[in-house]
Amino acid sequence: MNVIWKDMQDLIETSSAPGDPPAAIAPLSDWALFLDLDGTLLNLAPTPEAVRAGPRLRTSLNALRAAAGGALAVVTGRRIAVVDALFPDHRFAVAGLHGAEIRPAPGAPLLVPGTAPDAPGFSAARAWAQRGARQAPGLRFEDKTAAFALHYRLAPDHGETVAAIMAEALTLAGPGYKLRSGKAVVELGPADADKGRAVARLMTLPPFAGRRPFAAGDDVTDEDMFRTVNDMGGLTMLVGPASRFAASAAATRLDSPQDFRNWLEGLTG
Ligand SMILES: [Mg+2]
């Protein structure tokens, strides 16, 4: 399993020598790690509720966090509560809801609270999308408090239906919100949150501050994080197929979450 590096000049893919990429983020005590969850650390599942984190990954992340002096954050579109449920014994920082909620460590106060906006427009938009989910079997509404999502992984022909429902939801919600399209999902959430800003915020805090950032992700919303980390002189990794790599801001690539988990395990021996 070789990490694929992108030549930033002409976007030609080249295979690195085996062993080089792990050395590229060594020693871990110099690095701050920002890792997406679904499709990066975890295999995608038919529904958002069906993803699982195995004991091996939990052990591996704990070892990685320790080796990185605590500078490890999961940066996800999920709520922090979902991350806590998937990793019951974790100690890492979490940026949830694409940065609309940020918690530096379990038990610590939220830097950014992802509370449901007390706005009639948002409530109307949420109710609209909830009703819209009944338009086709397989559409799935997910309430994330400060955001909500409509998934169509089980109804792959209904991408346009979902786009139309969510466009109307955005109109109802009004200014202050935006749509994010991901893999078989459209989400509505606060316009002022994205994964790049979440990384930038955490990078101002110990133990992240002063380190070189590394970010890994698989989806469109991870591109904000890739650009931020590239601008900071860090290293970025797309987890996904070669067909997405040229359009991505990521500098390196691995094929699958399984490859990524194996690579992470290799970092701590
Ligand atoms: Mg993802």
Side-chain angles (χ1 to χ4, degrees):
M1 172 193 61
N2 289 350
V3 175
I4 309 299
W5 286 76
K6 182 186 287 170
D7 184 318
M8 301 309 273
Q9 250 67 57
D10 53 13
L11 301 180
I12 289 172
E13 290 181 21
T14 50
S15 234
S16 64
D20 278 349
I25 71 161
L28 278 168
S29 53
D30 290 348
W31 288 81
L33 311 178
F34 299 96
L35 312 177
D36 169 54
L37 192 58
D38 296 271
T40 302
L41 286 169
L42 304 180
N43 297 354
L44 291 173
T47 65
E49 298 78 23
V51 301
R52 293 286 175 267
R56 187 165 167 175
L57 175 62
R58 306 212 298 261
T59 304
S60 163
L61 286 181
N62 290 344
L64 204 56
R65 180 188 169 276
L72 186 151
V74 165
V75 184
T76 175
R78 302 278 200 147
R79 298 184 60 199
I80 292 175
V82 172
V83 179
D84 290 348
L86 283 165
F87 299 91
D89 52 355
H90 84 82
R91 300 291 312 152
F92 42 73
V94 184
L97 301 178
H98 302 101
E101 54 177 15
I102 300 177
R103 190 183 63 193
L110 295 180
L111 280 180
V112 182
T115 45
D118 185 19
F122 182 82
S123 304
R126 184 172 51 201
W128 169 265
Q130 214 157 4
R131 280 198 304 276
R134 297 184 208 125
Q135 282 191 22
L139 297 188
R140 194 160 196 111
F141 176 82
E142 183 186 8
D143 191 351
K144 301 180 171 190
T145 315
F148 57 83
L150 203 48
H151 296 264
Y152 55 98
R153 182 165 299 277
L154 296 177
D157 296 336
H158 284 84
E160 284 178 21
T161 313
V162 166
I165 294 167
M166 293 301 277
E168 177 62 22
L170 182 62
T171 305
L172 290 168
Y177 298 93
K178 70 178 176 188
L179 298 180
R180 294 180 185 82
S181 298
K183 292 177 177 171
V185 64
V186 180
E187 177 166 330
L188 185 148
D192 59 358
D194 67 52
K195 288 186 172 189
R197 291 186 214 196
V199 167
R201 182 83 187 260
L202 284 168
M203 283 294 286
T204 66
L205 303 175
F208 298 94
R211 289 163 178 258
R212 197 172 163 206
F214 167 84
D218 71 305
D219 212 341
V220 185
T221 55
D222 296 309
E223 296 294 328
D224 295 317
M225 175 163 80
F226 292 157
R227 283 186 288 272
T228 297
V229 166
N230 288 342
D231 288 348
M232 291 176 154
L235 180 67
T236 47
M237 182 179 281
L238 177 74
V239 176
S243 56
R244 279 215 49 228
F245 194 38
S248 171
T252 64
R253 182 182 76 83
L254 282 171
D255 270 325
S256 68
Q258 184 62 64
D259 284 346
F260 184 60
R261 289 191 294 268
N262 291 345
W263 184 75
L264 285 182
E265 275 189 18
L267 295 178
T268 51

